[in-house]
Amino acid sequence: MSATPTSRAGVGAGTATDVPAPVDDAAPAADARPADVEIVDVPVVRVRHPSDLLGTVLSALGIGLVLVLATYAHNTTSGVAEDVQGFATLLNRILFVPRRGLEVFVILAVPLAVITELAFRRLGRQLVEGLLAALVAFALNEAALGAIERFGSEELVIGMSIRDQGEWVVTLPGYVALLVGLLTVVGPRGRRRTVKWSWNLLWVAIGVLLITAGVSLPGLVVSFLIGRVTGLGVRYMSGVLSERAYGDSLVAGVRRAGFEPVRLLRVADETTASAAPGAPELDGDQAARALTRSTHHRLYELTTRDREELDLVVIDGDRQVVGMLNRLWRSLRMRGIERRSVVSLRQAAERAALLAYAARAAGVRTPRLLSIAEADDSMLLVQERPDRAVPLSDLDAELLTDEVLQEIWAQLQLAHDAGIAHRSLTSDVLLVEMVVGRPIVWLTSWEQGDVASSELARRIDVTQLLAVLALRVGATRALDSAAAVLPDEHIAAIGPLLQMITLPRLTRDEIRANKKVLTELRSALVAHLPEADVEPQQLVRFGARMVLTIVVPIIAIVFVITSINVEEITSALSAGDWRWTVVAFALGLVTLFGAALAFVAFSPVKLPFWRATLVQTAATFVGLAAPAGIGPAALNLRMLTRRGVSTTLAAATVALVQVSQFVVTLGLLLVLSIASGSDESPLPISPGVLFAIGIVAALVASGLLVPKVRQWVLAKTMPTLRQTWPRLIEVLGQPWRLALAVSGNLLMTLGFIFAFDACLAAFGQEASLIQVALVYLAGNTAGALVPTPGGMGTIELALATALTTATGINAGIATSIAVLFRVATYWLRIPLGWAAMRYLQRTGEL
């Protein structure tokens, strides 16, 4: 692996001439590095900055926001523009150059100056990228201009326009997008003087253009953001010259840290796997590879002139954006986790140093940090190398003795006693070394840690370490090792935290391959401490369900507001009868009796019909916090288990109730279709919809011919079938139970259908029974597929869409009918459900 600098020159080793200069993107001078410094590296010449991608996304969102404001907040944007344009008269007196002349000068001077400098510096690639970004930005700007003029609403067109000779003219200055795209690709203003003065000149031209009413404020901002989107997008896709420390710069940084290097060997990591052919083959010992996996920083094995073997950790500035976004996301999403300010490269290095010093001072065995230095856009940390240590992930199972486990817990306890939390404990940060037959444990990679940490952060540490050890030695032995070092109150406190969200990504990936680990840990914890609480603690502020709960109702409300025609709805109400609303509410209550009948029929123990009805009523309240259909199932299961029914039998009964509801609904739909006949009502579904249904059915049938698809379907359906089949056979032996269950399900389904029909009558609308049944069944099923609590928003939207499609009723009226139906059969029942829930809790039924 080692070679002299001369022999490596032809195989891509990181020599000084391979490294792009940090200033002006020019190639560095070929200053000879001392011949005794050997570097084995794979320099990255071009990198994709995550900040460019983030800027592209934010600029695109900004364009959308400006268009929305121009449409719906036209008075605000026009008011700001008028305030600025109040200086137009004064400015016209001051300017000695006409505005049009200034624009022409900027359009010609800025590109000419930038292109000339890039050509003189022989930066051909950057010149091509800049011209490409400029042309694409101009084309996108013109496309946006044409789209607004042709497809934009009247409000949007006016918001993006200025008055010119008594007419509204949409203004999106193309030269602004062109120049912004060019200057964005060329680089920051502090890098070249021509770029700095070009930005200044462009800002002056923009200010004059806006103040003299030559462009609308929204149009100017949109053109500017289009240029940013294009420029940043080109920068990210093509990459920019790396400003990381390599070669001579890296050697100089090590010397500033106080060490004289003779050899720098890059440790292989995920970024070096895709090195170009002919690049040097990288390696590194097990501890070094574990360190670079856990920190995601570059790592070098440093050999000094004094023959010291050290580790050189290099933190690169262009990778800080990803870490910042991850920290910001976790702090926003998780409860009780300290929020951290956005950190710079220097702050990240200082934080890593602080944690390393603090852990070392607390007595934790961690590599000693020796020195810090800065080189280009990188920070260098020189630290001791635990070269004989082996990461826990690579340690043989027979070497994981009880003594090793206790030593691991002891190291973590030392940190916690000093108020330090690690916050990212994985099998890569734990190193084990055998010294004279005695295990020595190292705890590394403290970059994500906290000093003066919270109790929750330390509890999460214990949870993470327990999960890591359980994956290696089993749940029972891992818990016993913790109990040998930690007090019982600390052990009991981790029960609510045994959930995936508290674990680092590496541990989560390992647990996905062994999904029983967390369940086994909970069982072992209860066996060790029977009084321990293992109910998961709410750590997440929001998840997919909460996002759906917020977003879907908002979409439904927007749909309702935009589709409502007040005159048509008023006319429909005048032709209707409000008393049908009372009928719909009463029919909604009847469905509770139907659900109770089915539940009583399938129950393996005798249930009072009145109590079963109260449970179904209480489920309407529980539905506020559970997806549609989940609330009744959960309360039914609870009632059966409270009456002594085993959990397995109770689950089978509840599953049978739900399956019977599905079967009866399909059967009822078939009966209604046959009974309605072709002469009684027109076809309730258009031929196009039937064609689409046929295509879907054909795709499903074709999919089932694929063995893997068929196996997946069987894996999802067979457990339910096996669970319900024995109970179904038992019920079939008692025909009165089956008749009672079918009657209850029919009563429930028909109650909702007739309630929906009553809501149509309340608005003076008519439809055949088969149409009403199809609309209700299709809309309710489609809305329930989205797991929002109680189907809020989704069912209303699906019912309104289905009603308009099947009957041709006006969308505004259909939406009003759907909302009235949900109010009568869902929202008005919630207070009754709350009262039933309180009563059942007081009586001990739930």
Side-chain angles (χ1 to χ4, degrees), residues 639-833:
M639 185 180 187
L640 290 176
T641 54
R642 292 286 291 179
R643 288 182 171 264
V645 180
S646 65
T647 303
T648 303
L649 183 56
T653 301
V654 171
L656 187 57
V657 170
Q658 292 182 310
V659 170
S660 69
Q661 291 174 356
F662 176 74
V663 172
V664 169
T665 299
L666 288 182
L668 179 62
L669 185 59
L670 179 61
V671 170
L672 288 175
S673 300
I674 297 174
S676 62
S678 58
D679 297 331
E680 180 180 333
S681 62
L683 188 64
I685 301 180
S686 64
V689 175
L690 289 176
F691 182 71
I693 294 175
I695 292 177
V696 172
L699 291 176
V700 171
S702 302
L704 292 176
L705 297 177
V706 181
K708 289 187 177 180
V709 175
R710 189 166 58 251
Q711 292 171 4
W712 179 83
V713 173
L714 290 175
K716 294 296 183 181
T717 56
M718 288 305 295
T720 302
L721 183 59
R722 294 192 190 99
Q723 190 179 41
T724 57
W725 184 254
R727 184 62 187 152
L728 178 60
I729 295 298
E730 184 179 350
V731 171
L732 290 176
Q734 298 173 296
W736 70 269
R737 285 183 178 271
L738 187 61
L740 185 62
V742 171
S743 300
N745 287 325
L746 282 174
L747 181 61
M748 182 175 62
T749 305
L750 288 174
F752 280 122
I753 291 175
F754 287 128
F756 193 58
D757 194 30
C759 291
L760 266 74
F763 278 85
Q765 304 297 312
E766 293 183 358
S768 67
L769 184 60
I770 181 60
Q771 286 178 317
V772 175
L774 280 172
V775 168
Y776 165 73
L777 295 173
N780 190 70
T781 302
L785 292 177
V786 182
T788 58
M792 286 187 291
T794 57
I795 292 181
E796 289 88 344
L797 189 61
L799 285 174
T801 303
L803 186 59
T804 301
T805 304
T807 64
I809 295 176
N810 175 269
I813 298 176
T815 303
S816 303
I817 292 171
V819 171
L820 177 61
F821 171 73
R822 289 284 286 169
V823 169
T825 61
Y826 177 74
W827 292 104
L828 291 181
R829 299 193 307 180
I830 290 175
L832 299 177

Side-chain angles (χ1 to χ4, degrees), residues 91-99:
L91 187 65
N92 286 327
R93 295 176 181 176
I94 297 175
L95 286 176
F96 57 90
V97 177
R99 187 195 74 200

Side-chain angles (χ1 to χ4, degrees), residues 72-289:
Y72 297 104
H74 174 67
N75 292 335
T76 302
T77 55
S78 61
V80 173
E82 290 174 0
D83 292 340
V84 175
Q85 291 161 5
F87 298 98
T89 304
L90 177 62
L91 187 65
N92 286 327
R93 295 176 181 176
I94 297 175
L95 286 176
F96 57 90
V97 177
R99 187 195 74 200
R100 188 67 63 184
L102 179 62
E103 292 179 10
V104 173
F105 175 74
V106 171
I107 294 172
L108 296 177
V110 170
L112 184 61
V114 173
I115 291 172
T116 301
E117 181 173 2
L118 293 177
F120 271 111
R121 292 182 179 272
R122 299 181 180 179
L123 298 175
R125 175 168 177 167
Q126 198 167 16
L127 175 60
V128 172
E129 291 171 354
L131 293 176
L132 175 64
L135 294 176
V136 173
F138 183 80
L140 288 179
N141 190 82
E142 293 303 305
L145 176 63
I148 292 174
E149 291 177 338
R150 184 171 181 179
F151 304 109
S153 63
E154 183 179 356
E155 294 81 3
L156 177 60
V157 171
I158 295 176
M160 304 291 291
S161 303
I162 60 172
R163 296 286 279 182
D164 185 14
Q165 298 180 356
E167 296 183 357
W168 290 107
V169 178
V170 179
T171 55
L172 266 73
Y175 77 90
V176 171
L178 184 147
L179 296 181
V180 170
L182 172 65
L183 296 178
T184 299
V185 171
V186 170
R189 56 189 297 146
R191 170 162 295 175
R192 297 185 186 86
R193 185 168 298 178
T194 56
V195 176
K196 177 181 178 180
W197 285 105
S198 296
W199 274 113
N200 293 340
L201 191 59
L202 178 60
W203 283 116
V204 170
I206 288 175
V208 171
L209 184 64
L210 179 62
I211 293 174
T212 56
V215 67
S216 65
L217 178 59
L220 181 61
V221 175
V222 167
S223 293
F224 184 91
L225 291 176
I226 287 176
R228 291 292 290 175
V229 166
T230 307
L232 292 172
V234 170
R235 276 169 56 98
Y236 182 76
M237 289 186 292
S238 176
V240 297
L241 289 176
S242 172
E243 297 179 2
R244 302 173 181 177
Y246 290 106
D248 281 348
S249 178
L250 189 63
V251 172
V254 174
R255 287 173 176 161
R256 283 194 295 272
F259 298 90
E260 184 61 39
V262 296
R263 187 170 187 264
L264 285 169
L265 170 63
R266 174 79 175 273
V267 176
D269 56 39
E270 58 184 10
T271 64
T272 61
S274 58
E281 184 177 346
L282 304 180
D283 197 1
D285 59 41
Q286 292 175 314
R289 290 198 299 270

Side-chain angles (χ1 to χ4, degrees), residues 34-45:
D36 56 350
V37 180
E38 176 188 2
I39 301 178
V40 180
D41 198 0
V42 182
V44 177
V45 178

Side-chain angles (χ1 to χ4, degrees), residues 306-326:
D306 298 330
R307 296 302 173 186
E308 293 180 285
E309 298 292 336
L310 305 173
D311 280 337
L312 174 63
V313 180
V314 182
I315 305 177
D316 295 314
D318 56 71
R319 305 185 68 175
Q320 291 304 301
V321 174
V322 176
M324 179 269 291
L325 292 177
N326 287 335

Side-chain angles (χ1 to χ4, degrees), residues 580-631:
W580 283 110
T581 304
V582 179
V583 174
F585 175 70
L587 290 169
L589 295 180
V590 169
T591 63
L592 300 176
F593 295 103
L597 281 175
F599 183 40
V600 169
F602 288 119
S603 173
V605 296
K606 186 176 181 180
L607 296 179
F609 178 72
W610 173 245
R611 291 294 178 89
T613 304
L614 286 178
V615 169
Q616 308 311 309
T617 306
T620 62
F621 174 70
V622 177
L624 281 172
I630 301 300

